[in-house]
Amino acid sequence: MSAENGVLRPPGAGRRFAVAGMGATGVGVFVALVRSLAAGGHTAGAEVHIFETKERLGAGVAYSTPHDCHLLNMRAATMSVRAEDPDHFVHWLAERNALGPAGAGEYVPRRLFAEYLQEFFDEALAEARQRGIKVVTHKSVVSDCREDALGVHLIAGLDHFVFGHVFLCLGDLPSTEYLEFTKLPTYVHSMWQGAGLEAIDPDATVGILGTSLTAVDALLQLRAAGHRGPVTCFSRRRSLPKVQGPRVRHTLRHVTEDNLRRLTGDFTRQLEFAEVAELFRRELEDGLGLAIDWKRVLARPADPVTHTLAKDVELAENGQTLWYSILDATSEIVPLVWRSMSPGARASFMTEHLSIWSMFRHCMPLDNARRLLDMATDGAFAVASELTSVTYDEEDAAFRMEAGGAAHRVEWLVNATGTGFALDCSDSSLIQNMLMRGDITPHPLGGIDVDFDTLRVVRRDGSLSERAHYIGPLTRGVHFYTNSFETNLANAHSAVAAVLTRLDSAAAA
Ligand SMILES: Cc1cc2nc3c(=O)[nH]c(=O)nc-3n(C[C@H](O)[C@H](O)[C@H](O)COP(=O)(O)OP(=O)(O)OC[C@H]3O[C@@H](n4cnc5c(N)ncnc54)[C@H](O)[C@@H]3O)c2cc1C
C-alpha cells in the first residue's frame, strides 16, 4: 500500500471494499461479500475493511442488550443468517440448549442473537483469511464518504482511505422527536445509549413516550430492575402491541405478485391506498373465514390496559391469532407491495395507518405479554392515549403531559418512539457531510433514498452513486419493512450481488 499525501491507497481500489457499521446488517454484507468474492474467483488482491465504533463486532444496537427480558420479537425460525438454511439459528440454539419448548417458534433473548451473529462473523472472517482475502478491522467512526474517479474516499478518525465499493450500514438513528429535552438529566432520549434506564431512581414517577415494542422493553427492564414508582406509557393514537400466538402456515391468495402485476398492468402504473387496503382486507377476511368489523378493529383504544391485555393474552393462548399468521405471511411480498404504491398512497399510509399497522404487525411475544399483564394487574403501569402535549416545568423539575384531556406529571421521561428518520437532525457527521454535498438525498418519507434493487444511494441530482450503497433501517421509504433483520439481510445480499455483477463485467471486459 502506498501513502501519498496521507491517502492510504493500494495499487488498485477496485477490489477494496469497506463496510461501515458492523451490526446485524454489516455482518450480512460482510458474509455475503466474502462468499461471493470466493465463489466468483475475485479473491486475488481483495481487501475488506470493517469500520465500527463499538468494541463488539456484530451485535449492533438491537442485540447488544444484556437483559434477558429483551426478547427477539420474531420467532427463532425467522432469524437465520443463512437464507439457504432457514433452521440455522434454531439448530444453533438447540446445540447450546438455549431453545425452549416452542422450538422453532421460540422467542429468545436478543443477546443470544448477538452471540450467534458474532460466531457467524468469526466463521466468515476465518474463511476470508483462508481464501486470501485481507480483512482489516478499524475501531473508528467513519465521518465522511465521497466519491470521485479514483474511487470512494472514506475518512475514519485521522485516516483517509480509497475503496472500490463502500457499504454503509449505520443502523437506526436515535429518535428525532423531543430533542428539546436532551440536555435534561431526567430525560432518557435513547434507552440503548449511555446509562439508559439504569440512571432512573427506583421510586420516581416515570413517563414513557410511546407504546411500541421499545416501550414494552422499557417496562420489562424497569420491572426486572425492581422499579417501584408509578409508570405511564403515553401514546398519541395507538395502544400496546397485540400479542403473537402460535403461527400456522398461510398461503397468500390475494396479496400476491400475480395480483400486483395484474392490478398495475405489469408494474406500469402505481396503486392507490384503497386498492392495496382491499387486497389486505380480502387476504385477512378469506383467511379468517369471516367479515371483519374494521371500525372496531381500527377504533382508538378505549378499554383499560388490563382488560385489553388479558383479552389479547387469552386469544394468543387459545391460538385465536390467525390474523398474525396471515400478516406474517406477507413479509416477503411487502417490499414489492410498497414499491407498487403511488407516492401519495405511501405518504397517506405513513401518516394515517402506520401506527395501527405496527400495533398488529410488530406484536409482542406471549411471554412478554404475560409479564406485562402481571405488571398492569399489580398497578405497576398504565397507558394514557391521545397525548397532545409534553413540556418541562423547571421550577418543579418535572415533565407535564396532557393526554386524553387529563394532566399528568412525571419526574423522569423516557423516549421510546423508535428510530428517527429526519436526516437533517442526525448527529452522524457522516450523514451530515454526505447530505450537505448532495451525495445522499433524503427520501420524501424519511431516511435515505436508494435504488430499490442495488441499494446504491441516490444523489441530490437524482443520479445513482456507482460505488456507495446504503443498507439498513433508514431505507424504509424505499423498502418499507426495514425494521426486520430478514429484509435487511435480503438487501445486504442484493447490494453485494450488484457489486459482484460489476466485478464480473470488469473481469470479462
Ligand atoms: C430495540 C430493537 C429491537 C429490535 N428487535 C428486532 C427483532 O427482534 N427482530 C428483528 O428482525 N429486528 C429487530 N429490530 C430491528 C433491527 O434494527 C434490525 O433487525 C437490524 O438489527 C438492524 O441492524 P443494523 O446493523 O442495520 O443496525 P445497528 O444494529 O444499529 O448497527 C449499526 C452499527 O453501525 C455502527 N455505526 C454507526 N455509525 C457509524 C459510523 N459512522 N462509523 C462506524 N460505525 C458506525 C453502530 O455502532 C452500530 O454498531 C430491532 C430494533 C431495535 C432498535
Side-chain angles (χ1 to χ4, degrees):
M1 179 158 349
S2 66
E4 290 163 34
N5 305 325
V7 180
L8 302 178
R9 187 183 308 143
R15 287 191 189 175
R16 277 166 52 86
F17 308 91
V19 186
M22 224 351 100
T25 306
V27 171
V29 166
F30 177 72
V31 175
L33 190 56
V34 168
R35 301 239 157 102
S36 308
L37 288 172
H42 298 293
T43 53
E47 283 183 28
V48 184
H49 289 243
I50 287 165
F51 297 85
E52 170 58 56
T53 57
K54 291 185 198 302
E55 205 59 61
R56 209 173 156 195
L57 297 181
V61 174
Y63 312 115
S64 333
T65 169
H67 302 286
D68 275 348
C69 61
H70 293 156
L71 301 182
L72 287 175
N73 57 47
M74 313 269 288
R75 291 165 300 112
T78 63
M79 298 294 290
S80 168
V81 285
R82 288 181 193 260
E84 76 287 1
D85 179 6
D87 289 330
H88 192 253
F89 183 44
V90 174
H91 289 147
W92 185 92
L93 289 166
E95 279 163 18
R96 284 150 190 84
N97 289 326
L99 201 57
E106 200 68 42
Y107 298 85
V108 299
R110 295 208 289 270
R111 65 171 179 76
L112 290 172
F113 191 64
E115 283 175 32
Y116 170 68
L117 283 171
Q118 273 179 295
E119 259 191 53
F120 191 58
F121 170 75
D122 288 342
E123 270 174 34
L125 188 62
E127 185 180 337
R129 290 189 171 144
Q130 190 204 345
R131 291 184 179 269
I133 301 171
K134 184 172 170 189
V135 180
V136 187
T137 54
H138 306 264
K139 188 182 173 307
S140 51
V141 182
V142 177
S143 58
D144 203 1
C145 171
R146 160 177 79 72
E147 201 177 325
D148 66 14
L150 275 182
V152 199
H153 299 250
L154 270 199
I155 307 292
L158 296 176
D159 292 325
H160 175 180
F161 302 83
V162 187
F163 293 103
H165 298 273
V166 167
F167 301 91
L168 303 170
C169 312
L170 311 182
D172 291 293
L173 297 181
S175 166
T176 41
E177 289 190 86
Y178 304 104
L179 293 172
E180 66 275 25
F181 300 136
T182 49
K183 295 268 181 313
L184 297 171
T186 51
Y187 172 69
V188 179
H189 189 60
S190 164
M191 55 186 277
W192 313 117
Q193 284 175 353
L197 303 187
E198 271 141 43
I200 298 178
D201 167 7
D203 292 306
T205 48
V206 178
I208 296 176
L209 295 165
T211 44
S212 64
L213 288 169
T214 308
V216 172
D217 278 346
L219 286 168
L220 294 171
Q221 190 183 328
L222 286 171
R223 176 73 151 192
H227 188 82
R228 296 178 291 266
V231 182
T232 308
C233 290
F234 294 92
S235 84
R236 292 189 190 117
R237 52 172 77 186
R238 56 169 280 178
S239 190
L240 288 172
K242 293 288 167 192
V243 182
Q244 297 183 22
R247 186 174 169 275
V248 291
R249 187 171 294 280
H250 173 80
T251 305
L252 295 173
R253 272 172 280 178
H254 300 281
V255 188
T256 59
E257 185 168 342
D258 282 352
N259 272 345
L260 290 176
R261 276 190 188 284
R262 186 178 52 76
L263 286 169
T264 58
D266 248 339
F267 302 110
T268 53
R269 82 167 185 95
Q270 292 185 307
L271 299 179
E272 290 315 318
F273 178 76
E275 296 174 280
V276 176
E278 180 60 13
L279 284 181
F280 276 84
R281 184 191 68 75
R282 286 201 206 153
E283 191 69 60
L284 282 158
E285 294 193 351
D286 262 17
L288 295 170
L290 52 85
I292 294 172
D293 178 353
W294 288 99
K295 250 197 175 144
R296 193 178 60 78
V297 172
L298 302 177
R300 297 205 171 193
D303 289 339
V305 67
T306 35
H307 184 266
T308 313
L309 259 176
K311 212 164 79 192
D312 290 346
V313 165
E314 189 186 331
L315 289 173
E317 283 174 341
N318 296 334
Q320 292 170 283
T321 48
L322 184 55
W323 55 267
Y324 175 69
S325 299
I326 298 171
L327 290 180
D328 196 39
T330 65
S331 286
E332 268 186 39
I333 189 94
V334 157
L336 188 60
V337 175
W338 189 243
R339 190 186 194 183
S340 311
M341 287 164 72
S342 72
R346 289 186 234 173
S348 124
F349 176 83
M350 284 295 184
T351 47
E352 303 295 322
H353 308 286
L354 179 65
S355 64
I356 209 90
W357 162 269
S358 302
M359 196 169 126
F360 284 88
R361 181 65 193 95
H362 305 298
C363 47
M364 62 182 138
L366 182 54
D367 277 355
N368 277 353
R370 288 189 181 120
R371 288 185 195 124
L372 279 196
L373 179 57
D374 283 348
M375 285 178 72
T377 311
D378 291 354
F381 86 96
V383 173
S385 59
E386 303 198 32
L387 175 69
T388 49
S389 86
V390 186
T391 52
Y392 184 70
D393 180 339
E394 283 194 22
E395 257 174 50
D396 186 27
F399 296 87
R400 308 269 175 197
M401 349 269 293
E402 295 280 338
H408 299 255
R409 172 189 179 275
V410 297
E411 290 155 338
W412 277 79
L413 191 62
V414 177
N415 187 337
T417 58
T419 301
F421 287 95
L423 295 189
D424 51 351
C425 296
S426 160
D427 59 0
S428 161
S429 47
L430 173 55
I431 287 182
Q432 290 305 343
N433 286 330
M434 292 184 80
L435 196 59
M436 220 165 48
R437 274 197 311 272
D439 289 344
I440 53 171
T441 187
H443 190 279
L445 299 176
I448 291 182
D449 201 2
V450 294
D451 175 52
F452 185 92
D453 294 312
T454 63
L455 289 293
R456 288 188 287 160
V457 297
V458 178
R459 300 192 189 103
R460 192 192 292 144
D461 64 6
S463 64
L464 288 184
S465 160
E466 290 299 318
R467 300 160 181 279
H469 302 250
Y470 195 99
I471 310 112
L474 287 184
T475 73
R476 181 183 72 171
V478 178
H479 299 105
F480 181 63
Y481 200 26
T482 52
N483 53 353
S484 125
F485 171 67
E486 263 177 313
T487 308
N488 294 329
L489 185 67
N491 286 342
H493 282 257
S494 303
V496 169
V499 168
L500 261 289
T501 305
R502 271 183 76 110
L503 290 187
D504 287 339
S505 337

